Amino acid sequence: MWDLKEYRFAATAQQAVSLMRQGPGKGAFIAGGTDMFLYPAGCDFVVDINHAGISDIARTPGGDLFLGAATTLHNLAINPLVTGFAGGIISEAAAHCGNRPVRSTATVGGNLCNALPSADMAPVLLALDATCYIADEESQESLPLADFFVGPRVTVLEDRLLVGLALPADAGSRSCASYKLTRSAEDISLVQVAVALDIRDGRIETARIALGAVAPVPMRAVLAEAQLAGQTVAEINPDLIADAAVIAAGECEPRDDHRASAEYRRDMVRVLTRRQITRALFENNTRTETGGTVA
Amino acid sequence: MELNGRPQTCEIAPGANLLHVLRELRQFSVKLGCETGDCGSCTVLLDGEPVNSCVVAAARAHGHQVTTLEGLLDDPLMKDLQARMVAEAAIQCGYCSPGLMISLYAHIKAGGSADEAVLREALTGNLCRCTGYVKPLAAAAAVATERRGGTS
Ligand SMILES: Cc1cc2nc3c(=O)[nH]c(=O)nc-3n(C[C@H](O)[C@H](O)[C@H](O)COP(=O)(O)OP(=O)(O)OC[C@H]3O[C@@H](n4cnc5c(N)ncnc54)[C@H](O)[C@@H]3O)c2cc1C
Ligand code: FES
Ligand code: FES
């Protein structure tokens, strides 16, 4: 049982923010609650955002994919707009997060706002250049997801609400691959790697490599990305891919914890980055794989 | 909320989880195991979807449909599943059984596949220490195959 004085429901995003600022005492938003019930950190009231009109998934006329912050991970896993975008990599990542009943209520917004270094939805969304939409009482702001995370468990939000995420239309045709290294799918990631390549006329126009659980916040390996951008698929060779993977391993800042050592994590970034680049390039296969052993 | 098809009102503490409220409402099929969303012994249906009631706010159920095993005892699909579980001897200590059966029920009801890998995925949220899953999976596969007219 959680020592809470009041449970409030918000009917709109703006109302959610004003209910949050009303006091008295300390408040927090609650979506699925799957994190909040595990760590019921001292707050006096919560504002439920499940009826605030931010649970939809939509494709804009321009082809951007919009994901409401309160969309559940199960919906992301099965919604045709999402399974059909970027080879379904977002759906695959959602389907590998937690267990089936948790995904019925856990939301994508909660996963990101929780801001754990290991947030499972962060790497694929970073690799697809997601933009965050943030609501204040009267205004809305948008910023790249890459600028959303400030530190472990800290985002730019303060008492504002994450309304949703938009993925640019062109990201929908990227060639992607990702991997969640973990003891079992429902466990937290030891290392996550997501790769998204924009390949046009046989040339890598842009490359995105995003890493999870290996730095204070989910991050992009921008130096490794630069190594790939501009290369032609015909000329790219295993050495170049291996070099990019070594660069990515150098960019991350993993820590030791009870799940894995920093050294192991860094080496796994190297191995998994090499493999995901190769898969994105040559297998045209976007399945997110989960696995505990990397041979 | 609507509990097992009937309107239900009750007073709850703002921070209560759904698990405790359901047990106070004498839904004793809803078991307390880990209270961290891992074991699945507290699985119920919220608007038809399986959830771990220990990590769902009770207040969240306001205006929604909650279904426990008690509410499915006369349901033909649940009866089939029960009969198969018994026939396969898929129950040992039984602590996991209500939650496990709710998860399987939701999967099969949604037209889910009888393929073993898919059924195992449907059970990712349900820990069973006794059976090793083999017999519950066999029971579920049989019922799912029947429901799908003989195809898996
Ligand atoms: C058994 C189990 C297994 C799990 N496995 C995984 C896993 O494999 N990978 C993983 O990444 N996570 C995992 N989790 C953690 C959790 O389920 C996910 O992070 C989930 O997506 C959180 O979403 P939620 O809606 O439940 O968040 P909530 O608990 O409702 O909220 C989490 C935090 O975000 C804030 N918040 C929520 N929505 C908003 C918003 N729109 N705007 C501003 N702030 C907001 C809340 O105030 C709170 O601080 C697991 C949890 C459990 C119980
Ligand atoms: S008691 Fe709810 S999942 Fe274990
Ligand atoms: S039968 Fe004992 S835990 Fe499943």
PDB file of all heavy atoms in Angstrom, chain A residues 4 26 28 33 52 67 72 85 90 93 123 126-127 144-145 171 174 178 188-189 200 203 246 265 277 279:
ATOM      1  N   LEU A   4      -0.705   7.604  -0.004  1.00  0.00           N
ATOM      2  CA  LEU A   4      -1.037   8.671  -0.942  1.00  0.00           C
ATOM      3  C   LEU A   4      -2.288   9.357  -0.414  1.00  0.00           C
ATOM      4  O   LEU A   4      -3.200   8.694   0.063  1.00  0.00           O
ATOM      5  CB  LEU A   4      -1.334   7.991  -2.292  1.00  0.00           C
ATOM      6  CG  LEU A   4      -1.265   8.763  -3.572  1.00  0.00           C
ATOM      7  CD1 LEU A   4       0.152   9.245  -3.817  1.00  0.00           C
ATOM      8  CD2 LEU A   4      -1.684   7.836  -4.716  1.00  0.00           C
ATOM      9  N   LYS A  26       3.438  17.476  -2.723  1.00  0.00           N
ATOM     10  CA  LYS A  26       4.173  17.040  -3.900  1.00  0.00           C
ATOM     11  C   LYS A  26       3.305  16.103  -4.723  1.00  0.00           C
ATOM     12  O   LYS A  26       2.644  15.220  -4.184  1.00  0.00           O
ATOM     13  CB  LYS A  26       5.435  16.306  -3.420  1.00  0.00           C
ATOM     14  CG  LYS A  26       6.443  15.987  -4.483  1.00  0.00           C
ATOM     15  CD  LYS A  26       7.742  15.493  -3.828  1.00  0.00           C
ATOM     16  CE  LYS A  26       8.702  14.900  -4.840  1.00  0.00           C
ATOM     17  NZ  LYS A  26       8.289  13.652  -5.445  1.00  0.00           N
ATOM     18  N   ALA A  28       2.723  13.793  -8.628  1.00  0.00           N
ATOM     19  CA  ALA A  28       3.375  13.113  -9.751  1.00  0.00           C
ATOM     20  C   ALA A  28       2.297  12.654 -10.717  1.00  0.00           C
ATOM     21  O   ALA A  28       1.160  12.384 -10.307  1.00  0.00           O
ATOM     22  CB  ALA A  28       4.175  11.909  -9.257  1.00  0.00           C
ATOM     23  N   GLY A  33       1.499   3.098 -14.100  1.00  0.00           N
ATOM     24  CA  GLY A  33       1.779   2.885 -12.679  1.00  0.00           C
ATOM     25  C   GLY A  33       2.712   1.711 -12.422  1.00  0.00           C
ATOM     26  O   GLY A  33       3.006   1.393 -11.266  1.00  0.00           O
ATOM     27  N   ALA A  52      -6.565  11.526 -20.490  1.00  0.00           N
ATOM     28  CA  ALA A  52      -6.233  12.906 -20.869  1.00  0.00           C
ATOM     29  C   ALA A  52      -6.136  13.082 -22.389  1.00  0.00           C
ATOM     30  O   ALA A  52      -5.669  14.106 -22.870  1.00  0.00           O
ATOM     31  CB  ALA A  52      -4.923  13.327 -20.191  1.00  0.00           C
ATOM     32  N   LEU A  67       2.914   9.026 -31.613  1.00  0.00           N
ATOM     33  CA  LEU A  67       2.604   8.074 -30.545  1.00  0.00           C
ATOM     34  C   LEU A  67       2.242   8.855 -29.294  1.00  0.00           C
ATOM     35  O   LEU A  67       3.087   9.570 -28.740  1.00  0.00           O
ATOM     36  CB  LEU A  67       3.826   7.197 -30.231  1.00  0.00           C
ATOM     37  CG  LEU A  67       4.530   6.519 -31.408  1.00  0.00           C
ATOM     38  CD1 LEU A  67       5.808   5.810 -30.920  1.00  0.00           C
ATOM     39  CD2 LEU A  67       3.600   5.525 -32.091  1.00  0.00           C
ATOM     40  N   THR A  72      -0.145   2.265 -24.541  1.00  0.00           N
ATOM     41  CA  THR A  72       0.487   1.150 -23.825  1.00  0.00           C
ATOM     42  C   THR A  72       1.505   0.440 -24.721  1.00  0.00           C
ATOM     43  O   THR A  72       1.419   0.485 -25.947  1.00  0.00           O
ATOM     44  CB  THR A  72      -0.549   0.109 -23.356  1.00  0.00           C
ATOM     45  OG1 THR A  72      -1.144  -0.495 -24.514  1.00  0.00           O
ATOM     46  CG2 THR A  72      -1.625   0.733 -22.489  1.00  0.00           C
ATOM     47  N   PHE A  85       5.920   0.585 -39.537  1.00  0.00           N
ATOM     48  CA  PHE A  85       6.846   1.725 -39.606  1.00  0.00           C
ATOM     49  C   PHE A  85       8.263   1.243 -39.324  1.00  0.00           C
ATOM     50  O   PHE A  85       8.512   0.538 -38.334  1.00  0.00           O
ATOM     51  CB  PHE A  85       6.423   2.763 -38.560  1.00  0.00           C
ATOM     52  CG  PHE A  85       7.090   4.104 -38.704  1.00  0.00           C
ATOM     53  CD1 PHE A  85       6.559   5.079 -39.545  1.00  0.00           C
ATOM     54  CD2 PHE A  85       8.246   4.393 -37.990  1.00  0.00           C
ATOM     55  CE1 PHE A  85       7.167   6.320 -39.662  1.00  0.00           C
ATOM     56  CE2 PHE A  85       8.861   5.634 -38.106  1.00  0.00           C
ATOM     57  CZ  PHE A  85       8.317   6.605 -38.950  1.00  0.00           C
ATOM     58  N   ILE A  90       9.853  -0.485 -33.631  1.00  0.00           N
ATOM     59  CA  ILE A  90       9.305   0.055 -32.375  1.00  0.00           C
ATOM     60  C   ILE A  90       8.428  -1.013 -31.705  1.00  0.00           C
ATOM     61  O   ILE A  90       8.495  -1.224 -30.490  1.00  0.00           O
ATOM     62  CB  ILE A  90       8.482   1.344 -32.624  1.00  0.00           C
ATOM     63  CG1 ILE A  90       9.353   2.410 -33.297  1.00  0.00           C
ATOM     64  CG2 ILE A  90       7.883   1.871 -31.330  1.00  0.00           C
ATOM     65  CD1 ILE A  90       8.563   3.620 -33.782  1.00  0.00           C
ATOM     66  N   ALA A  93      10.611  -3.631 -30.087  1.00  0.00           N
ATOM     67  CA  ALA A  93      11.205  -3.177 -28.819  1.00  0.00           C
ATOM     68  C   ALA A  93      10.151  -3.212 -27.717  1.00  0.00           C
ATOM     69  O   ALA A  93      10.421  -3.639 -26.593  1.00  0.00           O
ATOM     70  CB  ALA A  93      11.784  -1.770 -28.978  1.00  0.00           C
ATOM     71  N   PRO A 123      16.340   3.541 -26.966  1.00  0.00           N
ATOM     72  CA  PRO A 123      17.270   3.420 -28.099  1.00  0.00           C
ATOM     73  C   PRO A 123      16.595   3.435 -29.474  1.00  0.00           C
ATOM     74  O   PRO A 123      17.027   4.174 -30.366  1.00  0.00           O
ATOM     75  CB  PRO A 123      18.004   2.102 -27.826  1.00  0.00           C
ATOM     76  CG  PRO A 123      17.946   1.961 -26.335  1.00  0.00           C
ATOM     77  CD  PRO A 123      16.594   2.492 -25.961  1.00  0.00           C
ATOM     78  N   LEU A 126      15.348   6.915 -30.244  1.00  0.00           N
ATOM     79  CA  LEU A 126      16.481   7.807 -30.544  1.00  0.00           C
ATOM     80  C   LEU A 126      16.993   7.546 -31.957  1.00  0.00           C
ATOM     81  O   LEU A 126      17.295   8.482 -32.716  1.00  0.00           O
ATOM     82  CB  LEU A 126      17.636   7.567 -29.567  1.00  0.00           C
ATOM     83  CG  LEU A 126      17.565   8.217 -28.191  1.00  0.00           C
ATOM     84  CD1 LEU A 126      18.746   7.738 -27.339  1.00  0.00           C
ATOM     85  CD2 LEU A 126      17.577   9.741 -28.297  1.00  0.00           C
ATOM     86  N   ALA A 127      17.077   6.273 -32.326  1.00  0.00           N
ATOM     87  CA  ALA A 127      17.615   5.914 -33.642  1.00  0.00           C
ATOM     88  C   ALA A 127      16.689   6.360 -34.771  1.00  0.00           C
ATOM     89  O   ALA A 127      17.113   6.491 -35.912  1.00  0.00           O
ATOM     90  CB  ALA A 127      17.864   4.412 -33.717  1.00  0.00           C
ATOM     91  N   PRO A 144      14.034  17.497 -29.527  1.00  0.00           N
ATOM     92  CA  PRO A 144      14.484  16.154 -29.881  1.00  0.00           C
ATOM     93  C   PRO A 144      14.579  15.274 -28.636  1.00  0.00           C
ATOM     94  O   PRO A 144      14.978  15.760 -27.563  1.00  0.00           O
ATOM     95  CB  PRO A 144      15.885  16.383 -30.473  1.00  0.00           C
ATOM     96  CG  PRO A 144      15.971  17.836 -30.770  1.00  0.00           C
ATOM     97  CD  PRO A 144      15.031  18.533 -29.835  1.00  0.00           C
ATOM     98  N   LEU A 145      14.228  14.008 -28.815  1.00  0.00           N
ATOM     99  CA  LEU A 145      14.315  13.071 -27.683  1.00  0.00           C
ATOM    100  C   LEU A 145      15.734  13.056 -27.110  1.00  0.00           C
ATOM    101  O   LEU A 145      15.920  12.881 -25.905  1.00  0.00           O
ATOM    102  CB  LEU A 145      13.900  11.661 -28.144  1.00  0.00           C
ATOM    103  CG  LEU A 145      13.969  10.545 -27.100  1.00  0.00           C
ATOM    104  CD1 LEU A 145      13.072  10.849 -25.897  1.00  0.00           C
ATOM    105  CD2 LEU A 145      13.586   9.190 -27.707  1.00  0.00           C
ATOM    106  N   ALA A 171      11.860   8.411 -41.501  1.00  0.00           N
ATOM    107  CA  ALA A 171      12.404   7.363 -40.631  1.00  0.00           C
ATOM    108  C   ALA A 171      11.675   6.042 -40.848  1.00  0.00           C
ATOM    109  O   ALA A 171      12.194   4.973 -40.547  1.00  0.00           O
ATOM    110  CB  ALA A 171      12.310   7.775 -39.165  1.00  0.00           C
ATOM    111  N   ARG A 174      13.649   3.552 -42.923  1.00  0.00           N
ATOM    112  CA  ARG A 174      15.029   3.217 -42.565  1.00  0.00           C
ATOM    113  C   ARG A 174      15.193   1.714 -42.388  1.00  0.00           C
ATOM    114  O   ARG A 174      14.265   1.009 -42.023  1.00  0.00           O
ATOM    115  CB  ARG A 174      15.448   3.926 -41.274  1.00  0.00           C
ATOM    116  CG  ARG A 174      15.641   5.406 -41.494  1.00  0.00           C
ATOM    117  CD  ARG A 174      16.172   6.118 -40.279  1.00  0.00           C
ATOM    118  NE  ARG A 174      16.025   7.558 -40.512  1.00  0.00           N
ATOM    119  CZ  ARG A 174      16.162   8.483 -39.593  1.00  0.00           C
ATOM    120  NH1 ARG A 174      16.447   8.154 -38.355  1.00  0.00           N
ATOM    121  NH2 ARG A 174      16.011   9.752 -39.904  1.00  0.00           N
ATOM    122  N   SER A 178      17.913  -4.033 -33.969  1.00  0.00           N
ATOM    123  CA  SER A 178      18.247  -3.709 -32.583  1.00  0.00           C
ATOM    124  C   SER A 178      18.380  -4.982 -31.765  1.00  0.00           C
ATOM    125  O   SER A 178      17.946  -6.062 -32.184  1.00  0.00           O
ATOM    126  CB  SER A 178      17.229  -2.755 -31.960  1.00  0.00           C
ATOM    127  OG  SER A 178      16.091  -3.446 -31.554  1.00  0.00           O
ATOM    128  N   ILE A 188      15.630  -6.203 -16.966  1.00  0.00           N
ATOM    129  CA  ILE A 188      16.149  -4.928 -17.459  1.00  0.00           C
ATOM    130  C   ILE A 188      17.344  -5.209 -18.381  1.00  0.00           C
ATOM    131  O   ILE A 188      18.091  -6.152 -18.172  1.00  0.00           O
ATOM    132  CB  ILE A 188      16.602  -4.086 -16.231  1.00  0.00           C
ATOM    133  CG1 ILE A 188      15.427  -3.864 -15.272  1.00  0.00           C
ATOM    134  CG2 ILE A 188      17.235  -2.778 -16.634  1.00  0.00           C
ATOM    135  CD1 ILE A 188      14.357  -2.960 -15.754  1.00  0.00           C
ATOM    136  N   SER A 189      17.532  -4.346 -19.364  1.00  0.00           N
ATOM    137  CA  SER A 189      18.637  -4.534 -20.312  1.00  0.00           C
ATOM    138  C   SER A 189      19.993  -4.399 -19.649  1.00  0.00           C
ATOM    139  O   SER A 189      20.208  -3.520 -18.813  1.00  0.00           O
ATOM    140  CB  SER A 189      18.574  -3.470 -21.402  1.00  0.00           C
ATOM    141  OG  SER A 189      17.450  -3.649 -22.188  1.00  0.00           O
ATOM    142  N   ARG A 200      19.804   5.297 -49.475  1.00  0.00           N
ATOM    143  CA  ARG A 200      19.167   5.726 -50.742  1.00  0.00           C
ATOM    144  C   ARG A 200      20.127   5.510 -51.889  1.00  0.00           C
ATOM    145  O   ARG A 200      21.284   5.911 -51.797  1.00  0.00           O
ATOM    146  CB  ARG A 200      18.808   7.205 -50.677  1.00  0.00           C
ATOM    147  CG  ARG A 200      17.805   7.414 -49.600  1.00  0.00           C
ATOM    148  CD  ARG A 200      17.199   8.756 -49.609  1.00  0.00           C
ATOM    149  NE  ARG A 200      16.498   8.859 -48.307  1.00  0.00           N
ATOM    150  CZ  ARG A 200      15.712   9.829 -47.977  1.00  0.00           C
ATOM    151  NH1 ARG A 200      15.519  10.822 -48.811  1.00  0.00           N
ATOM    152  NH2 ARG A 200      15.128   9.838 -46.811  1.00  0.00           N
ATOM    153  N   ARG A 203      23.450   4.184 -51.020  1.00  0.00           N
ATOM    154  CA  ARG A 203      24.364   4.984 -50.210  1.00  0.00           C
ATOM    155  C   ARG A 203      23.718   5.268 -48.847  1.00  0.00           C
ATOM    156  O   ARG A 203      22.518   5.525 -48.772  1.00  0.00           O
ATOM    157  CB  ARG A 203      24.624   6.297 -50.968  1.00  0.00           C
ATOM    158  CG  ARG A 203      25.649   7.198 -50.342  1.00  0.00           C
ATOM    159  CD  ARG A 203      26.000   8.322 -51.320  1.00  0.00           C
ATOM    160  NE  ARG A 203      26.856   9.308 -50.662  1.00  0.00           N
ATOM    161  CZ  ARG A 203      26.377  10.342 -49.974  1.00  0.00           C
ATOM    162  NH1 ARG A 203      25.081  10.555 -49.897  1.00  0.00           N
ATOM    163  NH2 ARG A 203      27.219  11.164 -49.379  1.00  0.00           N
ATOM    164  N   VAL A 246      33.973  -0.292 -32.734  1.00  0.00           N
ATOM    165  CA  VAL A 246      34.991   0.050 -31.734  1.00  0.00           C
ATOM    166  C   VAL A 246      34.807   1.513 -31.296  1.00  0.00           C
ATOM    167  O   VAL A 246      34.900   1.841 -30.107  1.00  0.00           O
ATOM    168  CB  VAL A 246      36.417  -0.189 -32.303  1.00  0.00           C
ATOM    169  CG1 VAL A 246      37.480   0.397 -31.378  1.00  0.00           C
ATOM    170  CG2 VAL A 246      36.646  -1.676 -32.531  1.00  0.00           C
ATOM    171  N   ARG A 265      30.055  -4.640 -20.370  1.00  0.00           N
ATOM    172  CA  ARG A 265      29.073  -3.841 -21.130  1.00  0.00           C
ATOM    173  C   ARG A 265      29.741  -3.171 -22.330  1.00  0.00           C
ATOM    174  O   ARG A 265      29.199  -3.177 -23.430  1.00  0.00           O
ATOM    175  CB  ARG A 265      28.462  -2.770 -20.229  1.00  0.00           C
ATOM    176  CG  ARG A 265      27.456  -3.292 -19.222  1.00  0.00           C
ATOM    177  CD  ARG A 265      26.662  -2.136 -18.636  1.00  0.00           C
ATOM    178  NE  ARG A 265      25.385  -2.582 -18.115  1.00  0.00           N
ATOM    179  CZ  ARG A 265      25.140  -2.783 -16.824  1.00  0.00           C
ATOM    180  NH1 ARG A 265      26.081  -2.574 -15.930  1.00  0.00           N
ATOM    181  NH2 ARG A 265      23.953  -3.182 -16.432  1.00  0.00           N
ATOM    182  N   ILE A 277      24.732  -3.322 -37.180  1.00  0.00           N
ATOM    183  CA  ILE A 277      25.010  -2.599 -38.431  1.00  0.00           C
ATOM    184  C   ILE A 277      24.959  -3.596 -39.591  1.00  0.00           C
ATOM    185  O   ILE A 277      24.335  -3.339 -40.629  1.00  0.00           O
ATOM    186  CB  ILE A 277      26.399  -1.918 -38.394  1.00  0.00           C
ATOM    187  CG1 ILE A 277      26.452  -0.839 -37.318  1.00  0.00           C
ATOM    188  CG2 ILE A 277      26.714  -1.302 -39.758  1.00  0.00           C
ATOM    189  CD1 ILE A 277      27.858  -0.278 -37.077  1.00  0.00           C
ATOM    190  N   ARG A 279      23.386  -6.440 -39.774  1.00  0.00           N
ATOM    191  CA  ARG A 279      22.011  -6.885 -40.051  1.00  0.00           C
ATOM    192  C   ARG A 279      21.210  -5.801 -40.762  1.00  0.00           C
ATOM    193  O   ARG A 279      20.469  -6.073 -41.703  1.00  0.00           O
ATOM    194  CB  ARG A 279      21.305  -7.282 -38.751  1.00  0.00           C
ATOM    195  CG  ARG A 279      21.826  -8.607 -38.178  1.00  0.00           C
ATOM    196  CD  ARG A 279      21.215  -8.871 -36.818  1.00  0.00           C
ATOM    197  NE  ARG A 279      19.779  -8.981 -36.872  1.00  0.00           N
ATOM    198  CZ  ARG A 279      18.954  -8.467 -35.980  1.00  0.00           C
ATOM    199  NH1 ARG A 279      19.410  -7.793 -34.958  1.00  0.00           N
ATOM    200  NH2 ARG A 279      17.667  -8.633 -36.099  1.00  0.00           N
TER     201      ARG A 279
END
